[in-house]
Amino acid sequence: VEAVILVGGQGTRLRPLTIDTPKPMLRAAGVPFLLHQLARLRSAGVDHVVLATAYRADVFAAFFGAGDSLGIRVDFVTEVEPLGTGGGIRNVADMLESGPDEPVLVLNGDVLSGHDLAAQLDAHRDAAAAVTLHLVRVADPRAFGSVPTDAVGRVTAFLEKSPEPVTDQVNAGCYVFARRVIDAIPPVRAVSVERETFPALLAEGAVVQGYVDPSYWLDVGSPESFVQASADLVRGVIASPAVPEPSEALIRGSVAPDAYVAAGSVVDDGAGVGAGARVEGSIIMPGAHVGPGCVVTRSVVGTAATIGADCVLTDAVVGDRASVGARNELSAGARVWPDVVLGDCAVRFSSDR
Ligand code: GDD
Ligand code: MG
């Protein structure tokens, strides 16, 4: 089976981390997020993947240019102008080798899922469907595609990001397409599968099947969900062939003997954590440094950024190469841009005494 992964989005909600690095290439559990998806696809028997790239395509080319080092053949196609989800899928059609009635997997590049890909493919075959959508239930469906199904699991409507969703069952961003349905998407223009292709298929009476699977599922498109995904991967809450050994923390850099690093944190290559610091559920990117006495919780410290002594970071994102002075308090979703220099005691959420 072949797979297409959509990796062309700008990752706006993850800025400033996505200024230099497209979302699927951000490191989660010590490797680019995309490698978890590729490893999973490989385990499911996928031998050929085509990446639909647009934003910062150069970063994918630099990483995957060398070919099939992961034991899976990876091709990539770049859109001159972003073509949206449907346009991106159509744009890679020339690279696919499947026959018209064969199934092709299509995945959003920012979803961490433990669902059973083989069972989704089986559901597609059993229903003789045009497209089969993986569906999950979420607490707040407004940010997703709301997808009601009938008694036999057939999709009856597709409402993308509706303020009034008709069901809490949503599109999980993993599809099986019959190859011919990909070829029928209009070429060389922007198309949204969510807003155009799926509603059109339903209107013409095509079989659009739902495959409901309640396994682990997370869209990693926001800072909160990205750190959560990384921590869950490190701890083995969600298994990934790219994380050989689950643990409380993944430590590749240097951690002072009396520092405490836990709750699925990553201290990546060449990164450091100073004396007495506490790091929980956080990602310390390669070459970054957390000073002595800091408390870092559910935060990302970007590549080669430095955090001075006694800082508190809670639900914060520090951009690449930024320098945060001593005794700063960054919390509640604070985002520091790359290369910014913050002086000592420059931002606090509490008194300094
Ligand atoms: N090649 C290409 N070109 N890829 C794109 C483009 C484009 O122009 N625009 C977006 N993508 C990719 C993104 O990189 C991402 O992997 C995927 O398409 C989905 O885009 P997001 O921006 O992450 O969409 P979303 O999370 O708001 O909504 C989508 O995912 C939800 C599940 O996580 C929709 O498919 C929803 O219906 C779904 O519920
Ligand atoms: Mg998303």
Side-chain angles (χ1 to χ4, degrees):
V1 179
E2 296 181 288
V4 176
I5 310 183
L6 292 165
V7 293
Q10 298 202 16
T12 316
R13 284 167 297 156
L14 273 165
R15 280 170 70 86
L17 296 172
T18 46
I19 292 174
D20 290 335
T21 309
K23 174 163 64 174
M25 292 303 284
L26 288 174
R27 293 166 79 86
V31 296
F33 179 79
L34 188 55
L35 296 197
H36 299 292
Q37 279 186 319
L38 289 175
R40 237 186 115 239
L41 288 169
R42 189 181 169 221
S43 307
V46 173
D47 56 0
H48 182 213
V49 169
V50 188
L51 303 178
T53 67
Y55 178 70
R56 295 301 315 248
D58 56 307
V59 179
F60 296 97
F63 193 88
F64 292 103
D68 70 347
S69 56
L70 307 155
I72 192 165
R73 188 155 56 97
V74 179
D75 286 315
F76 47 95
V77 180
T78 302
E79 295 148 41
V80 182
E81 291 294 324
L83 293 172
T85 48
I89 298 167
R90 177 65 179 85
N91 194 51
V92 308
D94 286 350
M95 300 294 264
L96 298 172
E97 291 153 11
S98 304
D101 291 315
E102 287 185 299
V104 177
L105 282 164
V106 176
L107 295 90
N108 285 352
D110 65 343
V111 168
L112 183 59
S113 174
H115 81 282
D116 186 341
L117 285 162
Q120 184 178 356
L121 285 159
D122 286 346
H124 179 79
R125 245 172 248 125
D126 293 349
V131 183
T132 300
L133 283 60
H134 173 211
L135 305 174
V136 290
R137 301 204 112 84
V138 293
D140 181 1
R142 286 173 302 180
F144 301 101
S146 166
V147 186
T149 45
D150 69 10
V152 293
R154 212 166 139 170
V155 172
T156 54
F158 194 109
L159 295 148
E160 180 68 4
K161 300 198 172 79
S162 162
E164 285 166 23
V166 292
T167 165
D168 61 357
Q169 178 174 277
V170 303
N171 171 26
C174 177
Y175 321 116
V176 183
F177 271 77
R179 162 70 194 266
R180 67 189 144 75
V181 177
I182 293 178
D183 292 333
I185 297 172
V188 288
R189 71 162 168 89
V191 177
S192 158
V193 279
E194 297 88 347
R195 295 180 196 277
E196 188 173 338
T197 310
F198 297 149
L201 286 168
L202 291 168
E204 72 197 31
V207 178
V208 179
Q209 188 66 24
Y211 168 71
V212 181
D213 187 319
S215 308
Y216 181 101
W217 183 85
L218 196 59
D219 174 314
V220 306
S222 68
E224 312 82 76
S225 59
F226 193 81
V227 291
Q228 177 79 56
S230 180
D232 288 346
L233 283 161
V234 168
R235 294 206 289 191
V237 175
I238 167 83
S240 166
V243 181
E245 195 77 342
S247 60
E248 257 308 285
L250 176 63
I251 295 171
R252 302 240 184 86
S254 62
V255 173
D258 63 345
Y260 176 77
V261 180
S265 294
V266 179
V267 179
D268 214 325
D269 294 324
V273 175
R278 275 185 89 85
V279 177
E280 294 187 66
S282 295
I283 306 174
I284 315 302
M285 292 286 189
H289 195 268
V290 173
C294 287
V295 180
V296 180
T297 310
R298 294 184 304 273
S299 295
V300 181
V301 180
T303 302
T306 55
I307 312 296
D310 300 318
C311 286
V312 177
L313 269 58
T314 310
D315 301 311
V317 171
V318 176
D320 297 343
R321 302 170 305 276
S323 167
V324 174
R327 299 185 311 284
N328 282 286
E329 266 181 19
L330 304 169
S331 51
R335 299 173 190 230
V336 177
W337 248 244
D339 299 300
V340 162
V341 178
L342 269 187
D344 291 348
C345 203
V347 178
R348 294 195 57 94
F349 274 69
S350 69
S351 158
D352 65 329
R353 304 250 155 186

